[in-house]
Amino acid sequence: ENHTTATTTMPKAEKGSPKDIANRMKAKGLQKLKFYCQMCHKQCRDENGFKCHLTSDSHLRQMKIFRDNAPGIMDDFSAEFEKGYVETLRRRHGTQRMNANNVYQEVIQDKHHVHMNSTKWTTLTDFVQYLGKKGICVVEETERGWYVTYIERDPTLLARQEAQRRKAEADQREERLAAERREVLRMEAAKALDRAGGVVERKASEIGERKGD
């Protein structure tokens, strides 16, 4: 006797619906950060998957490596996170004053970024204050949060900026001298006209006197 097994196909989520957006986020690896294991570079889709990962043999092996060298590994993660954040700030925004959290949101768009909970900084505020103390950025706390301004230290770029500054100053100085020369010429022309007017007036007076005689 033949038995036929029926299969049911789940309907595809409507494009633009919350389920469709969630599915596309999963496909891109943009799940919640708390379900990411930095040691294993493993992104889990939900809490259940994350719990399963934490009990896996591969994770337990990685955690043993971490226990044997926790300070060194955390320092490496911290250095990598710092590099990623500063590079994003420098390359995308230069020395423009930026909201620190907005820059952080740009950083975490890369699903391979180092997560902050794997670093020595507990919060973004701690990290921003570190950037200020280290002299990497000018940091400022406002009502709208922390702001950071990258301090450019690249010798080549600094030299180019200095050359541009000197050229701008030279151009301004030349324009100022040109304006002064134009003013001198204008004053000399006015004096010449005054002298010419005086001569004409004197000659007219002399002609008038001769006619009176």
Side-chain angles (χ1 to χ4, degrees), residues 40-149:
C40 302
H41 301 287
K42 172 73 174 179
Q43 175 71 66
C44 301
R45 293 192 172 186
D46 51 33
E47 184 177 3
N48 184 58
F50 190 60
K51 287 180 178 178
C52 291
H53 170 71
L54 294 181
T55 60
S56 66
D57 290 340
S58 60
H59 176 75
L60 294 176
R61 284 195 297 271
Q62 290 298 320
M63 291 311 297
K64 184 178 185 304
I65 294 173
F66 180 79
R67 284 194 300 270
D68 293 341
N69 188 26
I73 292 175
M74 182 169 287
D75 285 345
D76 289 343
F77 284 151
S78 299
E80 192 172 344
F81 177 84
E82 177 187 339
K83 179 181 178 182
Y85 187 97
V86 173
E87 281 295 298
T88 298
L89 176 62
R90 185 180 70 84
R91 290 183 181 276
R92 296 188 181 183
H93 307 291
T95 55
Q96 182 181 355
R97 179 175 176 268
M98 294 295 301
N99 183 287
N101 187 60
N102 289 349
V103 179
Y104 176 69
Q105 295 304 316
E106 294 178 10
V107 172
I108 65 176
Q109 290 305 305
D110 178 5
K111 65 181 181 181
H112 298 299
H113 77 279
V114 173
H115 292 228
M116 184 175 289
N117 58 11
S118 304
T119 71
K120 59 186 178 183
W121 301 289
T122 307
T123 65
L124 182 61
T125 296
D126 294 337
F127 175 66
V128 169
Q129 291 175 338
Y130 159 84
L131 293 179
K133 291 177 182 177
K134 197 174 179 182
I136 297 174
C137 296
V138 175
V139 301
E140 177 187 0
E141 186 177 14
T142 72
E143 294 180 353
R144 292 181 295 175
W146 285 90
Y147 279 76
V148 292
T149 305

Side-chain angles (χ1 to χ4, degrees), residues 152-161:
E152 184 58 68
R153 299 185 184 280
D154 182 273
T156 303
L157 183 57
L158 289 175
R160 185 161 63 248
Q161 291 175 342

Side-chain angles (χ1 to χ4, degrees), residues 178-189:
E180 291 175 356
R181 287 196 295 271
R182 288 194 296 270
E183 179 63 17
V184 169
L185 290 174
R186 188 190 67 80
M187 293 179 65
E188 289 180 349

Side-chain angles (χ1 to χ4, degrees), residues 21-35:
I21 295 172
N23 288 339
R24 285 188 285 113
M25 287 180 66
K26 289 177 181 179
K28 291 181 180 179
L30 300 177
Q31 294 85 13
K32 291 183 178 180
L33 299 183
K34 64 181 180 180
F35 300 141

